[in-house]
């Protein structure tokens, strides 16, 4: 378990948190994914403010979090020998897990991970896959001067992951008394952009934006305070080096240049936005916003996030 922040008793920590700064207990799902991991790492590194918990699908996924010092908790055999020691009146402490192994398609695996949590950050998503032969065909086509879009496929379709899996998480969070859900979705979900021509919907015949929009609507109707973040194209670049530009209703899809921005944003910067949204819950409650960034060196590096949130309509 984290050395500083302790499990807070979450959901019901309200009265106590008015007197002292009780760390927020936050579950990040998809924490072995690229954005999810970045969020978990930031929370883990800020243990005075947050008690970070992660949901991953496999032990392999847990490994990268364990490198930060997070733990899947004691094994069943240690737990049972600890229980025997306690029964004899001897001291034995179970180590609470920071990492939970579960599948969002199995609603039952979510409750233990959400127990006592104040907030949930949803970073799970269907992941488009590319067969090597497809890549090879596209490279060959390029060599002979022809454009060919490689065909992607999903192991699990967005209908399952981005809709049913998301709905399971929202239901489980509500049941657990979670007070804030932050959902990472995507730009392009507004009706004007979310159509058959949208390349994101065409990938792997997944209609990913359609299912993401459905999940957003379900979240908005859930009654739990929420924040939805719609990133532009995600980059595996350093965070904290760019000016972040926020917008609403997909206006940035056509209007990013007018704002001096690119259409993309580093995953690290999205992770920081999520952490700031958790910090400034009152400014982002029941809001959905889009995010892109300026190129490094353009504009002013964003260091203060509250004014960005306050400027959202
Ligand atoms: P990512 O690396 O693709 O991670 C997705 C995560 O979801 C993985 O950790 C995966 O687990 C997990 N997951 C999938 N199915 C699951 C299941 N059934 N149970 C539990 N976990 C499951 O994510 P990303 O590329 O950083 O994207 C983050 C978000 O931004 C996504 O919602 C994405 O759609 C959205 N977005 C992406 C772009 C872009 O340019 N790529 C643009 C805008 C928005 P495993 O590690 O076990 O597979």
């Amino acid at each position: 378990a984290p050395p500083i922040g302790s499990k807070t008793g979450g959901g019901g920590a309200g009265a106590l948190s008015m007197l002292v700064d009780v760390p927020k207990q936050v579950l990040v799902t998809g924490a072995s994914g690229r954005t999810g991991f970045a969020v978990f790492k930031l929370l883990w590194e800020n243990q005075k403010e947050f008690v970070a918990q992660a949901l991953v699908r496999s032990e392999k996924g847990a490994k990268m979090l364990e490198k930060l010092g997070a733990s899947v908790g004691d094994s069943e055999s240690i737990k049972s020998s600890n229980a025997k020691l306690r029964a004899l009146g001897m001291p034995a402490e179970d180590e609470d897990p920071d990492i939970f192994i579960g599948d969002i398609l199995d609603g039952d695996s979510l409750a233990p991970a959400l127990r006592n949590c104040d907030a949930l950050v949803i970073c799970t998503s269907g992941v488009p896959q590319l067969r090597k032969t497809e890549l090879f065909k596209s490279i060959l086509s390029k060599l002979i001067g022809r454009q060919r879009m490689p065909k992607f496929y999903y192991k699990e379709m967005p209908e399952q992951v981005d809709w049913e899996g998301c709905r399971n998480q929202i239901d489980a969070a509500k049941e657990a008394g979670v007070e804030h859900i932050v959902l990472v979705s995507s730009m392009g979900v507004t009706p004007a952009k979310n159509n058959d021509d949208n390349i994101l919907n065409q990938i792997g015949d997944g209609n990913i934006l359609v299912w993401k929009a459905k999940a957003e609507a379900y979240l908005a109707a859930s009654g739990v305070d929420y924040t939805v973040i719609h990133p532009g194209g995600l980059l595996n670049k350093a965070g904290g080096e760019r000016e972040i530009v926020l917008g609403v209703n997909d206006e940035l899809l056509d209007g990013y240049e007018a704002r001096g921005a690119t259409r993309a944003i580093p995953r690290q910067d999205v992770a920081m936005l999520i952490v700031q949204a958790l910090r400034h819950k009152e400014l982002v409650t029941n809001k959905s916003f889009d995010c892109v960034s300026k190129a490094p060196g353009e504009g002013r590096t964003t260091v203060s996030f509250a004014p960005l949130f306050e400027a959202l309509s």
Side-chain angles (χ1 to χ4, degrees), residues 33-77:
R34 293 158 291 180
T35 305
F37 179 73
V39 177
F40 180 81
K41 187 166 183 283
L42 280 177
L43 297 177
W44 185 260
E45 288 167 351
N46 285 282
Q47 293 187 355
K48 279 190 185 156
E49 268 181 279
F50 299 106
V51 175
Q53 292 185 185
L55 183 90
V56 296
R57 252 203 294 203
S58 63
E59 283 176 16
K60 189 173 155 228
K63 288 270 178 292
M64 59 200 289
L65 309 180
E66 285 174 326
K67 284 190 190 141
L68 300 175
S71 153
V72 289
D74 283 336
S75 66
E76 287 309 312
S77 65

Side-chain angles (χ1 to χ4, degrees), residues 190-253:
T190 53
K193 303 287 179 187
N194 193 351
N195 49 40
D196 292 346
D197 295 336
N198 193 311
I199 183 84
L200 294 176
N201 279 332
Q202 290 171 1
I203 288 175
D205 291 327
N207 279 324
I208 191 162
L209 296 176
V210 173
W211 299 112
K212 279 184 184 294
K214 218 166 142 66
E216 287 188 28
Y218 191 80
L219 176 59
S222 71
V224 182
D225 287 352
Y226 69 89
T227 306
V228 180
I229 300 184
H230 301 127
L234 292 176
L235 305 171
N236 288 328
K237 302 274 185 197
E241 294 181 350
R242 300 169 191 236
E243 180 172 332
I244 293 172
V245 176
L246 302 189
V248 292
N249 298 329
D250 279 339
E251 285 158 7
L252 286 170
L253 273 180

Side-chain angles (χ1 to χ4, degrees), residues 5-16:
S6 61
K7 310 278 171 179
T8 60
L16 186 58

Side-chain angles (χ1 to χ4, degrees), residues 32-35 57 103-104 124-125 127 185 212 231-232 234 267:
S32 56
R34 293 158 291 180
T35 305
R57 252 203 294 203
D103 194 310
I104 56 164
T124 47
S125 185
V127 186
S185 182
K212 279 184 184 294
L234 292 176
R267 287 181 167 85

